[in-house]
Amino acid sequence: EVAPPKAMEVRVKILYTSLCHTDVCFWEAKGQTPVFPRIFGHEAGGVVESVGEGVTGLAPGDHVLPIFTGECGECAHCKSQESNMCDLLRINTDRGVMIGDGQSRFSINGKPIYHFLGTSTFSEYTVIHVGCLAKINPSAPLDKVCVVSCGISTGYGATVNVARPPKGSTVAVFGLGAVGLAAAEGARASGASRIIGVDLNPSRFEGAKKFGVNEFVNPADHKKPVQEVLAEMTNGGVDRSIECTGNINA
């Protein structure tokens, strides 16, 4: 059972959802505080079914993408060009309830099922804070753009908004998964001339060309540290380096 939305909340009919590696990590509960039972999922596309009190920017029928890094629009972080760590809606992987009242909107036989990342898209219907939804053009195919909810916006946004590579610059992208490919696309859109993909999986190299990667380095092919390899390739080092593996060793 999915309860109606309360103040500043929206109930969404999920039409498409992707499976992100993050969902798998938290499902396996390796290194995190397990919250059970809960509904995973955060890469999705759906349609607004109903809205709660105070919601003005969305209406039933609107096409939306859930966003796990929400924006209240009022705090110092939301108003800053340098940060998106909203005071109200910043990521909290341990919170399994809605911010408004500390309760879950999911239940079975009266017992709560908990939320994940404020989105919980592995459900036909979900309830999301209005600040964690982005209204999109209804002509955009939801089965394709659902990945914009996570990996694409993360890599592309980090590149064009934070790294900001100048035109003609050299960029190294560590990790050529979804986030890394999006980062490469952001580098290409910014006008970078050399985009060097760094990955231990050589099968990713060919596909990465479609996203602007024009040189490749597999650290396993070299005896010296990869940063030394890059420095030699670029006469001292790249202009921007974007880490997309999520591995602190990288």
Side-chain angles (χ1 to χ4, degrees), residues 213-236:
V213 176
N214 47 33
E215 297 180 57
F216 304 98
V217 174
N218 183 343
D221 292 340
H222 302 273
K223 294 182 179 180
K224 62 182 66 177
V226 69
Q227 63 267 29
E228 293 183 13
V229 176
L230 292 173
E232 290 179 0
M233 291 173 58
T234 56
N235 192 29

Side-chain angles (χ1 to χ4, degrees), residues 4-128:
K6 295 190 177 181
M8 302 306 293
E9 296 174 1
V10 178
R11 189 160 60 182
V12 177
K13 182 176 183 178
I14 299 295
L15 298 180
Y16 296 93
T17 186
S18 305
L19 175 65
C20 177
H21 191 256
T22 300
D23 297 306
V24 177
C25 288
F26 279 86
W27 169 64
E28 292 176 336
K30 294 179 179 178
Q32 305 99 16
T33 303
V35 179
F36 181 85
R38 66 175 165 181
I39 297 172
F40 292 111
H42 60 280
E43 284 188 340
V47 177
V48 173
E49 181 269 338
S50 58
V51 300
E53 181 183 353
V55 175
T56 57
L58 292 172
D62 284 345
H63 286 211
V64 291
L65 298 181
I67 306 294
F68 56 86
T69 50
E71 296 182 8
C72 71
E74 301 296 330
C75 71
H77 285 287
C78 283
K79 292 180 178 179
S80 168
Q81 294 296 312
E82 304 299 323
S83 170
N84 67 341
M85 298 298 290
C86 175
D87 287 339
L88 178 67
L89 299 171
R90 70 175 60 193
I91 298 174
N92 182 342
T93 57
D94 294 334
R95 186 180 64 237
V97 294
M98 299 300 291
I99 288 176
D101 62 359
Q103 301 293 316
S104 172
R105 299 290 175 265
F106 302 113
S107 64
I108 183 168
N109 297 326
K111 296 182 178 180
I113 303 174
Y114 296 104
H115 297 249
F116 177 63
L117 294 180
T119 53
S120 291
T121 63
F122 293 172
S123 174
E124 291 176 288
Y125 290 86
T126 186
V127 177
I128 301 174

Side-chain angles (χ1 to χ4, degrees), residues 126-250:
T126 186
V127 177
I128 301 174
H129 190 283
V130 67
C132 292
L133 287 167
K135 182 179 177 180
I136 64 170
N137 190 320
S139 65
L142 289 172
D143 62 326
K144 303 293 194 301
V145 299
C146 57
V147 294
V148 177
S149 288
C150 177
I152 305 304
S153 56
T154 302
Y156 189 92
T159 305
V160 301
N161 295 327
V162 182
R164 299 177 185 174
K167 288 186 178 181
S169 60
T170 299
V171 176
V173 177
F174 286 77
L176 296 176
V179 177
L181 294 177
E185 180 68 30
R188 175 166 64 178
S190 300
S193 60
R194 294 181 70 184
I195 303 173
I196 305 170
V198 182
D199 200 294
L200 291 167
N201 184 352
S203 68
R204 291 178 167 182
F205 291 169
E206 188 63 30
K209 293 178 182 177
K210 300 176 183 178
F211 296 85
V213 176
N214 47 33
E215 297 180 57
F216 304 98
V217 174
N218 183 343
D221 292 340
H222 302 273
K223 294 182 179 180
K224 62 182 66 177
V226 69
Q227 63 267 29
E228 293 183 13
V229 176
L230 292 173
E232 290 179 0
M233 291 173 58
T234 56
N235 192 29
V238 299
D239 298 300
R240 298 289 189 272
S241 184
I242 306 168
E243 195 285 301
C244 301
T245 68
N247 186 323
I248 59 173
N249 294 319

